[in-house]
Amino acid sequence: MEDMREDHQYPDPDDVPRFAWAGAKSPSGSLEEGDDYMNDRDMVTLDGYALGEEYQYRTASFDPYQQTDPIDENFDPEFQYQEDSDKSDDEELISEADSDFEAPTAADALDGQAKITKSGRESRGRGRGRGRGRGRGRGRGSPGLYSGIQRQRGRPKGQGRGGKGIKKGVRKPIEPSPEFKSLHSQGTLAFIEQNYDAAEELAKQAIQCNPEIFTAYSLLSEIHMARGDKGRATHALFNGAHTRPRDTVLWTKIAKLIMEIAGDDRASAYLDAIYCYNRVIGSDKSHVEARYERAALHREFGNEKRAAYDYVRLLHLLPHDTTVLRNLAEVYIEIGEGARAMEYYEASITHFQSLQQSSVTSFTWSDLNIYAELFMYSTEPEEIAKGISKVKNVCRWLLDRGEDHFWDDYTQDDREFDATDHPRRSLVPEFDWGKHNLNSYGHGLPLELRTRLGLLRLELGEDHFEEAIRHFEWLAPNDTGPASRIHDYPDLFGEIAEALRLSGLPHEALRFYEPLQQMEEYASLSFFKNMGSCYHNLELFDEAEDSFRIVMENDEDNVEILLKLATMFENADMPNRAEPYVEKIIAMKRTRALQKGLSRPRKPAKTSTKPLKPTASAPKQAMLDPMAGRKPDTRPRTLRRLREAELDEKIQLLYRELLILKQQIEDGESEARNEWMSIAATLIDEFKKRKTFHPAGVEKHRKYSSYPAKSKARDSEKIERMTSHLAEILDNVQEDIDFTAVEYCSIPFNHWLDIFLEYAVVLAIGGDKVQAYETIISVTEAKVFHESKDFMFLIHVAWSMCALAVDDDETLCSVARYFMKEFQFVTDTYRLFSIFNRLCNRQNVWYNNGPTQKYILRQVKAVDFSLMSEERRKTFYEERASYSTRDAAGNPIHAKEMDIALLMTYGHILFTGGSHNFALSEMALFSEAYALDPGNPMINLSLALGYLHVAIKRQSGNRQYMIMQGFSFLLRYYDLRKRSEFPIERQECEFNVGRAYHMLGLTHLAIPYYERCLELSSEVQREGGLGAAEDYSTEAAFTLQVHWAASGEVELAQKITARWLVL
């Protein structure tokens, strides 16, 4: 290991395959986002298997190669991998690979016979699943059989399930049944004969017969692969792989197939491939390929911290491996943790330098270049100076001069790497002439390292500029011939030019900028902008204007460049050259004002023609193009002004038509709906094009106030006073109006919001979930809506309607969290959260998942914290951040009393997750709610069900006592509901009590309650409304039907069916 694994083959991190499973969602935005079946922020387990490892990071002072890193909670507090260890469930899985069943070969299949062992000829019996238990009771045996031996309670050590004496390891494999062997043999024969339909059916039957045996899944996968359906083939292989949880080769193969099949849609298969690699690593923590591939996937999809964790683990497996070090350094740089990578590099460099330089082949100049680049991210001059010394020390070692330590004392310059001994190197007293040839000094240092040393010198300030330029001169920037180094090192020229410009050396920067003009791939707008700035600083106005003109030709709306040009010529006392740029700025401002619809419209030029009127058959988007059908005008500014001036009129025309169509829809004219949708989509697209409402970059984070209004002086006045008042003009160009705009194109913003939201809701009702959500998200990103609490409230109400229409419980929970955050400690927000999940028709996996539980728990803790005395609050700091609502003065709003709805919400979340003991014993949520409101029927019912469910669990200590406690609350709930004036509530309590008795097997006590439930059905139906929709008569009748049929009372079952269950 010390000499590295020279022959180790690494996967290409840029070539990672992927696959999208049927039913699995892609990460949003975050692998986003929010996460599909594997949460990005709160890792969970799937099918009892750990999805990852403990995500541990180290503190600043530690040995990078120690086996276990201390946890740095500040590194990523919201992400934790679970430990890379197999769950105990795996030990109970039976691997078909250990069975003595042999899959039939082609010859066996052709003969129609499979190899069946002696035990395989016997009946299946209890072949599948667990063996029969010992049974209950004391198990009386023959008298005297255990004479002299004291009887012990429970199972003896090492026998049965559970307990300290459980036998570890893989269980004895299940013997395939004769039926399975026959089906598998026939399926294999059909596959060989290319009868794929029959082979597939037989393989599926074999899987149903013995789902724990892998060979049937493998056969099914081969069948799909023969058909060319790689997706279904991989799916079958994936399902079968769970019978071999520790088969690392199989899981690795599946992961690669997943990514390969995904093609361009790699994001959709990201989580599935990660799941497979997690299974591999869970079985073999030292599996290098799986860790490397998992790290590459995490890095590809923006999870750099997870990737860093895997690379750190790889360094434990492959100490000082330079390939891993490079990837780790790149990841750490991306997440702004370059110092961490530096420590790993330094540890490896120390290791390599302890060896003979000639024996080390894995650490090269490229690795040293990465190490030197890490110091570029340091901000302290002392650290950079140390970095230069360290880099030079390693350079010396690579040049086979590692014993010349005296050079470490010369830190003010880099004379050690001069081209010749004279004049500077020869002045060093310790320098031994002739000991090393010149290639061990300056000529042996690669230009990349020399450039890196020069850039580090620039970071140290003016005193080191001369030394930096000495290094840069090796690139010979003045050489313009065909053999110049610009063709081999254009990236170095670009780095040097940019660094020199930022260091205030424009003349030197231009020496490297100008040669880059020959390289097409480097001639970008930013390149010409930076080069123009250098010319400007050197007062080379003609050259600066040429560079800035190139930028303007490709970006006509770049006001920054126009301002630079105008200011440059004004300061140079050249008003005539500044005038055209000022005119352009003024014209641009007026055009933007027209675009916003807030300036006085100017009369169109006489030479312009009137816009064509849209016909009934013309598409709506064409109506928004004022130049459609016109003869081209050769004056660009005129065209832009005409277009923007007429755009408002077209938008208003469409809006009026939209209102007419909306009224027609409300009157019942369904055919108007499609036309309304078309116009609404056009208006929405036009609104989204406005950069003022949907800014990018820095402007996105600035608060919205308004968009520019009309100018405060006429164009002619500004031009006349340009020479003396250019600064005032330029300030006026960027000045905002004095009032906040409330409309766009004469349409109020709240009406624009109605268009967005109504359009999104209609899309959701029609089943177009993706387009509906995109519309909602686009309106939340518009600054004019985002910064208004009233608008955001309406947006989230519409968002919840869309989520309800498409049964999206994940989005419903997210929207409910918004309301709970914005209106904290308001009871109705917690009720709204429960209502959303009640109305969703899907299984509410997001109702009680980890993030939801933690969020509601934080709300409970925040209430507790705000109700504490001032003395106790001083000892609890962590919950202060949970206050999310503030008053007008900016002070956090505190809870006035404990919220019963919040307690019940959190209790029900835990209850639905099966944590009955946690809800009742440790947190006592239902009990605390009962103490606050003992007469609440729902609280009594929840307590009753909690006790009853705990009582019927195997681990219950005193089952009878728990049942009595449960029924005490249940009968109290029954008494409270029986007093209700609403028939539906009286019927509800009859059914619930009957169901409770039925759950305990006391059907003779349950039947009277079910019958009274049926009797109340007529009253419920007469009352109508919501109660009629919640009629429990069907459930009660079905339960009675099943009971009577099972009891042999067929006639009673038939009567119940005919009366209550026949539609």
Side-chain angles (χ1 to χ4, degrees):
M1 289 295 294
E2 287 190 356
D3 230 354
M4 309 299 298
R5 301 187 181 182
E6 300 295 336
D7 55 344
H8 183 70
Q9 298 296 320
Y10 290 88
D12 184 2
D14 296 327
D15 184 20
V16 185
R18 49 172 318 126
F19 165 76
W21 294 115
K25 305 174 185 176
S26 62
S28 55
S30 229
L31 264 187
E32 18 100 242
E33 321 332 333
D35 284 280
D36 313 304
Y37 71 84
M38 184 173 71
N39 194 285
D40 191 272
R41 298 169 62 89
D42 302 276
M43 302 300 291
V44 296
T45 57
L46 293 179
D47 302 329
Y49 297 100
L51 287 184
E53 306 165 78
E54 190 68 29
Y55 194 53
Q56 299 179 345
Y57 272 89
R58 51 187 175 69
T59 55
S61 58
F62 84 113
D63 178 7
Y65 290 99
Q66 62 184 355
Q67 188 60 29
T68 305
D69 299 340
I71 298 177
D72 181 2
E73 295 178 354
N74 297 322
F75 189 75
D76 190 1
E78 295 180 333
F79 170 71
Q80 286 190 347
Y81 261 124
Q82 296 186 6
E83 187 180 356
D84 262 348
S85 59
D86 296 332
K87 292 289 184 180
S88 58
D89 294 9
D90 282 357
E91 296 171 356
E92 298 186 359
L93 291 176
I94 300 162
S95 175
E96 185 271 336
D98 297 323
S99 170
D100 39 359
F101 165 67
E102 298 179 13
T105 63
D108 297 328
L110 290 172
D111 295 335
Q113 297 291 330
K115 296 181 180 180
I116 304 176
T117 62
K118 180 179 180 180
S119 59
R121 298 188 184 99
E122 299 172 359
S123 174
R124 281 181 65 192
R126 298 190 303 274
R128 278 172 44 195
R130 301 181 184 273
R132 182 179 298 166
R134 286 182 53 195
R136 299 177 182 265
R138 296 184 179 273
R140 303 174 184 270
S142 304
L145 183 61
Y146 295 101
S147 58
I149 302 177
Q150 184 178 0
R151 183 183 301 273
Q152 299 177 350
R153 295 192 63 179
R155 298 182 177 89
K157 185 176 180 180
Q159 297 183 11
R161 294 185 304 166
K164 296 182 179 179
I166 186 171
K167 184 179 179 181
K168 301 294 183 180
V170 180
R171 287 187 174 189
K172 183 179 180 180
I174 296 297
E175 180 63 31
S177 65
E179 181 184 358
F180 173 87
K181 296 176 182 179
S182 175
L183 291 169
H184 188 273
S185 176
Q186 295 176 40
T188 305
L189 178 61
F191 173 66
I192 293 173
E193 294 175 348
Q194 299 185 0
N195 187 358
Y196 297 135
D197 293 338
E200 179 182 1
E201 184 62 30
L202 290 166
K204 290 180 178 179
Q205 292 178 19
I207 291 173
Q208 292 177 353
C209 182
N210 279 98
E212 67 276 8
I213 298 179
F214 175 73
T215 53
Y217 296 96
S218 178
L219 174 61
L220 183 60
S221 176
E222 291 295 334
I223 293 169
H224 290 312
M225 192 66 75
R227 288 171 167 169
D229 191 345
K230 282 190 176 181
R232 296 182 66 186
T234 308
H235 200 172
L237 205 60
F238 177 82
N239 291 334
H242 289 84
T243 66
R244 291 182 173 180
R246 294 182 177 82
D247 191 338
T248 58
V249 175
L250 177 60
W251 283 105
T252 303
K253 175 184 177 182
I254 294 172
K256 292 182 178 180
L257 282 172
I258 289 173
M259 303 305 292
E260 177 185 344
I261 294 169
D264 295 334
D265 189 17
R266 296 176 64 82
S268 63
Y270 163 55
L271 291 179
D272 302 298
I274 292 296
Y275 173 78
C276 295
Y277 287 126
N278 287 342
R279 299 302 295 265
V280 176
I281 296 170
S283 299
D284 182 7
K285 294 184 179 63
S286 62
H287 201 288
V288 173
E289 181 183 3
R291 283 195 183 277
Y292 201 97
E293 294 284 4
R294 188 171 75 174
L297 280 176
H298 282 320
R299 186 179 175 190
E300 178 183 354
F301 293 100
N303 292 322
E304 289 87 359
K305 294 181 181 179
R306 302 187 188 186
Y309 171 76
D310 274 326
Y311 287 131
V312 169
R313 284 296 182 188
L314 280 169
L315 280 179
H316 291 318
L317 298 173
L318 306 170
H320 316 299
D321 189 296
T322 54
T323 304
V324 180
L325 278 171
R326 291 175 193 174
N327 286 282
L328 181 62
E330 292 172 2
V331 172
Y332 273 140
I333 289 173
E334 290 171 5
I335 60 179
E337 295 286 343
R340 296 177 180 269
M342 202 178 298
E343 293 178 3
Y344 282 99
Y345 260 99
E346 289 174 354
S348 295
I349 288 171
T350 302
H351 163 75
F352 289 128
Q353 288 184 328
S354 66
L355 307 175
Q356 288 291 334
Q357 194 277 334
S358 58
S359 64
V360 178
T361 58
S362 56
F363 190 86
T364 64
W365 290 106
S366 297
D367 300 299
L368 179 56
N369 190 43
I370 295 174
Y371 175 62
E373 185 179 354
L374 293 174
F375 289 101
M376 297 293 296
Y377 298 92
S378 300
T379 56
E380 298 295 331
E382 294 80 7
E383 290 296 324
I384 296 175
K386 289 180 182 179
I388 293 175
S389 297
K390 292 177 181 179
V391 171
K392 291 199 302 183
N393 180 280
V394 182
C395 290
R396 194 180 310 124
W397 173 72
L398 286 173
L399 292 171
D400 203 15
R401 293 190 295 107
E403 71 281 0
D404 292 350
H405 300 295
F406 61 88
W407 290 112
D408 294 334
D409 299 331
Y410 297 89
T411 59
Q412 293 303 311
D413 56 47
D414 302 323
R415 65 181 66 188
E416 174 185 2
F417 297 104
D418 286 352
T420 61
D421 295 336
H422 298 283
R424 298 198 304 172
R425 194 159 53 226
S426 60
L427 298 178
V428 178
E430 298 89 347
F431 175 61
D432 187 359
W433 291 53
K435 183 178 179 180
H436 304 285
N437 59 39
L438 289 179
N439 289 331
S440 296
Y441 293 98
H443 291 283
L445 188 66
L447 287 176
E448 292 87 346
L449 260 299
R450 189 175 290 280
T451 300
R452 202 63 58 199
L453 286 173
L455 294 174
L456 290 172
R457 288 288 178 185
L458 283 180
E459 295 292 329
L460 292 178
E462 294 183 6
D463 294 340
H464 296 264
F465 283 176
E466 182 181 353
E467 192 65 28
I469 293 174
R470 278 179 179 270
H471 286 295
F472 299 151
E473 288 295 338
W474 282 74
L475 287 170
N478 297 329
D479 183 5
T480 58
S484 63
R485 288 178 171 170
I486 181 63
H487 302 289
D488 298 323
Y489 303 99
D491 54 330
L492 298 184
F493 274 73
E495 281 188 75
I496 294 170
E498 184 65 12
L500 289 170
R501 182 184 69 85
L502 296 175
S503 298
L505 301 172
H507 181 269
E508 298 295 336
L510 284 172
R511 294 179 62 209
F512 291 88
Y513 271 130
E514 290 174 346
L516 278 173
Q517 296 181 81
Q518 308 174 38
M519 313 302 293
E520 239 177 79
E521 62 272 22
Y522 286 89
S524 62
L525 294 183
S526 61
F527 166 80
F528 285 105
K529 176 183 173 183
N530 294 336
M531 191 165 65
S533 298
C534 293
Y535 285 127
H536 180 195
N537 294 334
L538 295 173
E539 298 185 357
L540 300 173
F541 301 128
D542 292 338
E543 291 83 353
E545 184 178 24
D546 291 340
S547 296
F548 288 143
R549 277 179 178 272
I550 294 175
V551 179
M552 289 300 303
E553 288 173 2
N554 293 274
D555 185 6
E556 295 182 357
D557 297 330
N558 196 321
V559 180
E560 179 187 358
I561 298 299
L562 288 173
L563 289 172
K564 277 181 175 290
L565 286 166
T567 305
M568 179 179 69
F569 289 120
E570 170 62 19
N571 293 336
D573 196 21
M574 300 179 182
N576 293 333
R577 298 186 66 176
E579 180 178 342
Y581 299 110
V582 175
E583 288 181 346
K584 285 185 179 180
I585 295 172
I586 296 171
M588 187 177 295
K589 183 190 173 181
R590 297 192 63 84
T591 300
R592 290 182 177 180
L594 287 172
Q595 179 179 340
K596 279 28 176 211
L598 292 175
S599 66
R600 274 184 305 210
R602 298 176 64 183
K603 293 182 180 181
K606 296 181 179 180
T607 55
S608 63
T609 58
K610 295 183 179 181
L612 296 177
K613 295 184 179 180
T615 62
S617 60
K620 300 301 175 185
Q621 190 62 39
M623 295 173 63
L624 290 177
D625 187 4
M627 305 311 299
R630 289 177 174 225
K631 187 176 181 179
D633 196 318
T634 57
R635 293 172 293 177
R637 283 191 298 175
T638 301
L639 292 178
R640 286 199 300 270
R641 288 174 179 174
L642 288 175
R643 176 182 175 86
E644 301 300 337
E646 296 173 352
L647 183 62
D648 291 358
E649 180 183 349
K650 299 304 178 183
I651 289 179
Q652 293 171 25
L653 176 63
L654 288 179
Y655 179 66
R656 288 192 292 270
E657 187 175 351
L658 191 77
L659 295 178
I660 295 173
L661 290 170
K662 183 178 179 180
Q663 184 61 44
Q664 293 176 357
I665 295 173
E666 293 175 353
D667 294 339
E669 299 182 20
S670 57
E671 60 274 8
R673 178 179 176 276
N674 291 337
E675 186 71 10
W676 184 92
M677 291 289 289
S678 175
I679 297 176
T682 302
L683 289 174
I684 288 172
D685 290 341
E686 199 63 31
F687 188 91
K688 288 162 66 175
K689 291 178 182 178
R690 296 295 170 256
K691 293 182 180 180
T692 307
F693 302 143
H694 295 83
V698 177
E699 292 296 330
K700 185 176 182 180
H701 304 287
R702 294 182 181 172
K703 187 173 181 181
Y704 172 83
S705 60
S706 177
Y707 40 84
K710 53 189 177 181
S711 305
K712 294 187 175 181
R714 296 185 178 277
D715 299 354
S716 58
E717 296 173 349
K718 291 185 179 182
I719 295 173
E720 291 173 1
R721 299 181 304 172
M722 177 194 60
T723 304
S724 58
H725 302 290
L726 179 62
E728 179 183 347
I729 296 174
L730 298 180
D731 289 339
N732 189 47
V733 169
Q734 302 180 31
E735 184 179 7
D736 286 337
I737 58 176
D738 298 330
F739 60 92
T740 300
V742 295
E743 61 182 23
Y744 167 59
C745 293
S746 301
I747 302 173
F749 283 133
N750 60 330
H751 292 186
W752 278 106
L753 182 62
D754 290 341
I755 297 173
F756 272 91
L757 300 186
E758 289 172 1
Y759 181 72
V761 171
V762 173
L763 286 172
I765 294 174
D768 193 347
K769 170 183 172 181
V770 175
Q771 189 64 30
Y773 282 1
E774 287 180 354
T775 303
I776 292 289
I777 292 172
S778 68
V779 76
T780 60
E781 293 175 347
K783 295 180 70 175
V784 67
F785 300 130
H786 178 75
E787 294 172 3
S788 169
K789 289 187 176 181
D790 293 337
F791 285 160
M792 290 301 292
F793 178 84
L794 294 175
I795 289 169
H796 281 81
V797 170
W799 206 337
S800 64
M801 295 173 62
C802 295
L804 284 171
V806 297
D807 285 334
D808 185 358
D809 57 333
E810 178 183 357
T811 301
L812 282 173
C813 288
S814 298
V815 173
R817 285 180 62 165
Y818 167 82
F819 289 120
M820 288 188 284
K821 176 183 175 183
E822 294 296 321
F823 305 96
Q824 195 177 24
F825 308 137
V826 177
T827 301
D828 285 344
T829 60
Y830 308 122
R831 291 174 176 164
L832 186 66
F833 171 74
S834 300
I835 290 172
F836 279 164
N837 287 276
R838 172 66 179 84
L839 294 177
C840 189
N841 294 324
R842 295 178 55 192
Q843 182 180 2
N844 298 111
V845 296
W846 284 90
Y847 176 70
N848 61 355
N849 73 340
T852 304
Q853 287 189 25
K854 293 175 183 177
Y855 181 80
I856 300 298
L857 176 59
R858 288 197 296 271
Q859 299 301 306
V860 175
K861 289 181 177 180
V863 175
D864 287 337
F865 182 79
S866 60
L867 297 179
M868 288 180 182
S869 63
E870 197 64 35
E871 293 75 15
R872 294 197 63 195
R873 284 186 186 177
K874 294 179 181 179
T875 61
F876 295 89
Y877 295 97
E878 64 275 9
E879 298 309 324
R880 294 188 178 182
S882 296
Y883 294 134
S884 58
T885 307
R886 299 183 179 272
D887 58 18
N891 301 317
I893 297 177
H894 297 271
K896 302 300 182 183
E897 59 183 358
M898 178 55 69
D899 197 311
I900 298 176
L902 176 60
L903 289 174
M904 295 300 293
T905 299
Y906 187 52
H908 286 140
I909 288 174
L910 297 175
F911 190 89
T912 55
S915 301
H916 314 302
N917 281 325
F918 184 75
L920 295 173
S921 303
E922 297 184 21
M923 291 298 294
L925 294 166
F926 292 151
S927 300
E928 186 177 353
Y930 177 80
L932 295 171
D933 188 6
N936 191 309
M938 178 55 66
I939 298 176
N940 283 272
L941 177 62
S942 300
L943 276 167
L945 293 178
Y947 279 115
L948 291 178
H949 278 275
V950 171
I952 62 177
K953 293 179 71 174
R954 182 172 59 85
Q955 301 93 335
S956 179
N958 193 334
R959 185 169 289 109
Q960 287 75 17
Y961 177 72
M962 301 291 285
I963 291 175
M964 291 299 297
Q965 281 187 303
F967 267 95
S968 67
F969 288 107
L970 185 67
L971 295 178
R972 179 176 176 81
Y973 153 78
Y974 182 78
D975 292 338
L976 292 169
R977 277 294 198 223
K978 286 292 288 183
R979 304 172 195 165
S980 174
E981 59 178 316
F982 301 107
I984 182 61
E985 294 185 352
R986 299 198 300 273
Q987 186 192 43
E988 170 205 299
C989 72
E990 299 289 352
F991 179 81
N992 284 339
V993 175
R995 186 69 188 88
Y997 280 123
H998 198 167
M999 179 177 65
L1000 298 177
L1002 304 175
T1003 53
H1004 64 289
L1005 298 178
I1007 290 174
Y1009 290 94
Y1010 286 142
E1011 291 176 344
R1012 286 195 289 272
C1013 177
L1014 295 177
E1015 293 170 1
L1016 286 168
S1017 178
S1018 57
E1019 287 188 56
V1020 172
Q1021 294 298 327
R1022 280 198 302 272
E1023 185 183 67
L1026 182 62
E1030 294 285 344
D1031 189 356
Y1032 294 95
S1033 60
T1034 303
E1035 289 83 354
F1038 178 76
T1039 306
L1040 286 173
Q1041 177 213 48
V1042 173
H1043 169 71
W1044 292 127
S1047 302
E1049 299 290 343
V1050 179
E1051 293 183 3
L1052 284 176
Q1054 289 177 343
K1055 289 181 180 179
I1056 292 290
T1057 303
R1059 171 67 180 84
W1060 297 102
L1061 301 179
V1062 176
L1063 298 178

